Amino acid sequence: MSKNELKKELRKSVLSARNRLTAEEIKDNSHAVGDRFLTLEAYLRANTVMAYVNFSSEVQTGTIIRDALHRGKKVVVPITDVANKKLTPSQLLHFPEDLIPGTWGILEPRPECVRPVQPAEIDLVIVPGVAFDTSGNRLGYGGGFYDRFLLHTKPDCLYAALAFEMQIRPNVYPGEYDLPVHLLCTEKRVLDFRNNK
């Protein structure tokens, strides 16, 4: 099997397993992931935080977004431009009031709430993903949106991933353009890969 086929198979099997989690499991495990994330020094020190808005069976980010707003951080969420395969970061002032369903039904800022932010202003990006390994490699949804976007962030911007333990796999078959994350937070542990680089 080619690397691409292996990635496709893995994506399918992890998504199918994640989608079998009950609403209760997703909520409880997301809570545990969030509790760990909110104590990270990298998060506490970041002034501008970009977070994905969870969709389907992803780790829920609402608690983190609310906490960041409450702390007076600049909170940014992505707007997906499918035609140009790019993400535009937009500042969020009110959660969830500023958001309506956008691309693929994922919540995005309403047209009157779009406040673009330069990628170079962001200190920490919370990156979604399907599967991760214990070296920080990430298997995304296959669109390459985040891999392209992260290239425009500043050199010391940190990439953090939130995942359920069941999304951690021995190998996610990273390609040459796949960017690893610096931090990975699950309901059971925090992995810091910054010394691996």
Side-chain angles (χ1 to χ4, degrees):
M1 256 203 225
S2 74
K3 190 179 262 192
N4 272 348
E5 288 169 323
L6 288 165
K7 279 177 140 174
K8 266 192 188 132
E9 282 300 304
L10 180 62
R11 191 177 283 121
K12 210 165 110 185
S13 87
V14 176
L15 282 176
S16 150
R18 198 180 72 186
N19 288 336
R20 286 196 297 274
L21 294 171
T22 65
E24 200 63 27
E25 286 172 319
I26 290 171
K27 186 175 152 222
D28 291 350
N29 287 338
S30 292
H31 198 78
V33 175
D35 281 352
R36 286 182 193 280
F37 181 81
L38 294 176
T39 64
L40 293 178
E41 194 185 334
Y43 165 70
L44 296 171
R45 286 172 59 171
N47 294 316
T48 302
V49 176
M50 175 165 166
Y52 68 88
V53 182
N54 61 278
F55 178 69
S56 182
S57 57
E58 288 178 327
V59 173
Q60 296 170 347
T61 53
T63 306
I64 293 168
I65 292 171
R66 284 191 182 90
D67 183 88
L69 287 169
H70 178 71
R71 288 178 189 272
K73 295 181 185 293
K74 189 173 196 176
V75 179
V76 177
V77 294
I79 298 170
T80 306
D81 174 350
V82 178
N84 296 303
K85 289 208 159 198
K86 70 182 258 218
L87 297 177
T88 299
S90 175
Q91 186 179 2
L92 186 65
L93 298 181
H94 308 284
F95 178 80
E97 300 84 342
D98 285 358
L99 305 174
I100 52 169
T103 309
W104 301 304
I106 300 169
L107 293 176
E108 293 188 350
R110 302 168 177 276
E112 67 275 18
C113 296
V114 172
R115 307 173 190 94
V117 170
Q118 289 304 316
E121 286 179 49
I122 301 168
D123 300 308
L124 174 70
V125 180
I126 301 173
V127 187
V130 174
F132 302 88
D133 66 20
T134 51
S135 302
N137 294 306
R138 162 185 171 270
L139 175 69
Y141 290 89
F145 286 91
Y146 275 86
D147 287 314
R148 275 189 290 274
F149 171 76
L150 295 174
L151 295 172
H152 300 288
T153 57
K154 57 189 177 180
D156 61 346
C157 179
L158 290 177
Y159 311 147
L162 311 176
F164 300 127
E165 259 321 299
M166 49 79 59
Q167 291 173 260
I168 312 296
R169 298 298 159 106
N171 189 348
V172 296
Y173 313 107
E176 59 175 319
Y177 299 111
D178 295 335
L179 294 171
V181 297
H182 301 106
L183 295 159
L184 174 58
C185 213
T186 77
E187 69 271 26
K188 296 210 167 106
R189 55 188 166 157
V190 174
L191 298 171
D192 187 334
F193 311 110
R194 284 174 288 184
N195 296 333
N196 304 1
K197 306 285 173 269

